Amino acid sequence: MNSLTKVNLLLSFLYLLLGSLLGFMLGYKQTASFLFSMGGSPTLAHAHLQLVGFVTQMIVGVTYHIVPMLSRGKINSFKLGYLHTALLNAGLLIQVWGFLTDRILFKSFGSLLLFASIVMYLFNILKSMKWR
């Protein structure tokens, strides 16, 4: 297993833990009222931690492991892979903070970073595949 796969899988598990913790906190009146008192939408933050953080990051990690095996090639660029992983994580955390605090600047900038990271990921994976 290559290092890019390992990083993405470990981050995926971290987001599973964080998203589950936030979901757990939403289940209790005292902590839920605190989260909602921040002015934002903690349910959106919870959903994004689980879906973008856990599920998407897991798919990215598995893809970086499977694509070289299936195409009998190699990853186009590990540097680009690490860059898009960093942008995905920065964008997600910024966006989640925006959801929790209802700050449009954080939500918008986080979304922009997430979109850029997805474009980089798709470019890197498609360039890694051998199209016969």
Side-chain angles (χ1 to χ4, degrees), residues 20-35:
S20 298
L21 177 63
L22 185 56
F24 178 75
M25 291 172 70
L26 286 168
Y28 287 92
K29 187 176 182 178
Q30 295 86 354
T31 52
S33 61
F34 166 73
L35 290 169

Side-chain angles (χ1 to χ4, degrees), residues 10-85:
L10 288 173
L11 287 167
S12 173
F13 295 138
L14 175 65
Y15 287 119
L16 175 62
L17 185 63
L18 289 175
S20 298
L21 177 63
L22 185 56
F24 178 75
M25 291 172 70
L26 286 168
Y28 287 92
K29 187 176 182 178
Q30 295 86 354
T31 52
S33 61
F34 166 73
L35 290 169
F36 281 102
S37 74
M38 295 174 74
S41 176
T43 52
L44 280 175
H46 167 66
H48 278 73
L49 283 171
Q50 295 292 64
L51 294 175
V52 177
F54 173 59
V55 176
T56 301
Q57 196 95 34
M58 179 65 70
I59 291 169
V60 167
V62 170
T63 305
Y64 275 119
H65 182 69
I66 289 178
V67 165
M69 290 188 320
L70 294 178
S71 69
R72 295 192 176 124
K74 59 181 184 161
I75 298 298
N76 175 57
S77 170
F78 276 91
K79 285 183 183 179
L80 186 59
Y82 283 111
L83 176 61
H84 89 70
T85 297

